[in-house]
Amino acid sequence: MRPSKSSGITTVHEARSALGQRLRELRQQAGMTGKQLAESLSWPPSKVSKLENGRQTPTAEDIRDWTEATGGEARTEALLTSLHTLDLQYAQWQRQLKAGFASHQNSIARLDARTRFFRAFEPTVVPGLLQTAGYARERFTQGITTLNVPHDVDEAVRVRTQRQEILYRPDKRFHFVLTEAALRFRLCTPDVMLGQLDRLISLSTLPNVKLGIIGFETPYAVAPWHGFWILDHDRVMVETYSAELNLAQPSEVKLYGTAFERLAAVATYGRAARALITRVIDDLSSEVAEVPGDGE
């Protein structure tokens, strides 16, 4: 199943375009051309065009300047509310992580506290709530290199590890579905990955944690396009290279809920899942054993 028109990035573009249309209406009601408005604000004419056509997201200052220049001050707060909603939908990592990964982990912890039922599908990485400190350190280190954000790996690892305490709370429920690829991708050193795999086996026995693994040989009912989290029945979170998408429209939550159900239905659980993880451990261990030591 390909992402539909209602999926994240398309919806964000539509929201940005709708905001641009409302700005255009204010300009037209004021009887101003785009060039005239740009000149009154000392902007390049291209900025007005980009904002109106949804090719650029305005800042709060842009909206205040626009409404003042067009005599639409009464619409300022409504437009700022729309901008805030858009910012929540599409949160660029450079803005989210300007204070570092630890600050963002604290924000997620506050969201964790409000959530009762977590559903997560990950095709390439082990979910953060299941990560060992060593695996988490590798993820944050790679993220810092990719995004060029403040280096606070130690604190970020500490906060992520602390977040995992909710796995032991009886009022929380968790359903994780991973692909076998997530267990085999070389995203860290073999010894770190072996520790991570062992932890997955341990966590799979918790009474409120359901861990499913989709083996390589399993036919998919839904293509594993990307990872996502569904928090209760209210929000879907999707991470891209550039941003975190927060999707809350009922149609979007329903779409991802259906995709999760189909992915979860073909996963293996319990002893079968642990046997699959053990097989991966055995394969990795044999590779490590074949590498000559320093004294050989």
Side-chain angles (χ1 to χ4, degrees):
M1 180 176 67
R2 289 184 178 275
S4 75
K5 186 178 180 182
S6 64
S7 64
I9 294 175
T10 299
T11 303
V12 170
H13 175 70
E14 291 174 349
R16 188 185 293 118
S17 296
L19 180 56
Q21 177 62 33
R22 294 166 71 184
L23 293 174
R24 179 186 291 111
E25 291 171 357
L26 282 180
R27 174 181 61 76
Q28 292 173 339
Q29 290 169 5
M32 302 176 72
T33 65
K35 182 178 180 181
Q36 289 172 333
L37 177 59
E39 289 177 348
S40 71
L41 296 173
S42 299
W43 289 355
S46 61
K47 180 172 180 177
V48 172
S49 176
K50 289 178 180 177
L51 292 178
E52 289 187 350
N53 289 288
R55 296 197 302 272
Q56 179 177 329
T57 302
T59 64
E61 184 179 1
D62 289 339
I63 286 178
R64 292 190 181 95
D65 289 345
W66 190 294
T67 55
E68 182 179 354
T70 59
E73 291 93 336
R75 304 272 296 277
T76 301
E77 290 306 315
L79 291 169
L80 288 175
T81 298
S82 295
L83 175 62
H84 177 65
T85 301
L86 180 58
D87 283 341
L88 288 176
Q89 282 185 298
Y90 188 86
Q92 288 184 313
W93 289 126
Q94 291 295 340
R95 185 173 73 253
Q96 287 254 77
L97 302 175
K98 62 183 180 181
F101 277 101
S103 177
H104 183 56
Q105 286 296 300
N106 279 317
S107 297
I108 297 177
R110 291 190 289 272
L111 188 57
D112 290 343
R114 300 194 299 269
T115 304
R116 304 293 293 273
F117 183 31
F118 300 75
R119 286 172 287 172
F121 170 69
E122 289 292 358
T124 58
V125 299
V126 174
L129 285 178
L130 305 181
Q131 292 176 5
T132 63
Y135 189 93
R137 182 174 298 279
E138 295 280 356
R139 302 282 62 72
F140 288 127
T141 299
Q142 289 183 3
I144 287 170
T145 301
T146 302
L147 298 170
N148 192 29
V149 296
H151 192 294
D152 63 344
V153 172
D154 290 342
E155 181 64 10
V157 170
R158 185 191 69 77
V159 177
R160 173 165 287 180
T161 302
Q162 188 176 45
R163 280 180 55 214
Q164 296 173 357
E165 293 175 1
I166 66 170
L167 293 172
Y168 303 93
R169 287 181 50 177
D171 61 326
K172 306 282 190 179
R173 290 190 300 130
F174 305 87
H175 188 171
F176 299 99
V177 177
L178 312 183
T179 68
E180 184 174 345
L183 310 182
R184 293 186 180 273
F185 276 142
R186 305 303 172 89
L187 301 179
C188 58
T189 60
D191 60 322
V192 169
M193 195 63 202
L194 285 170
Q196 177 62 72
L197 294 170
D198 184 68
R199 177 162 173 76
L200 287 179
I201 291 177
S202 175
L203 292 176
S204 71
T205 64
L206 293 177
N208 59 333
V209 173
K210 187 175 183 179
L211 176 62
I213 308 294
I214 304 176
F216 282 142
E217 72 285 353
T218 305
Y220 278 85
V222 175
W225 293 107
H226 57 74
F228 57 89
W229 287 67
I230 307 175
L231 308 184
D232 289 327
H233 300 280
D234 306 319
R235 178 190 297 205
V236 177
M237 298 176 67
V238 180
E239 293 186 357
T240 72
Y241 279 111
S242 61
E244 176 186 82
L245 304 179
N246 288 273
L247 314 176
Q249 291 188 14
S251 61
E252 294 173 313
V253 177
K254 182 179 179 180
L255 172 67
Y256 277 91
T258 299
F260 185 85
E261 289 174 3
R262 293 179 179 175
L263 290 163
V266 300
T268 59
Y269 296 88
R271 291 181 179 178
R274 288 189 285 274
L276 198 160
I277 297 172
T278 299
R279 188 172 71 218
V280 178
I281 290 175
D282 291 342
D283 290 345
L284 185 57
S285 296
S286 64
E287 290 183 25
V288 173
E290 291 174 1
V291 178
D294 292 339
E296 296 183 29

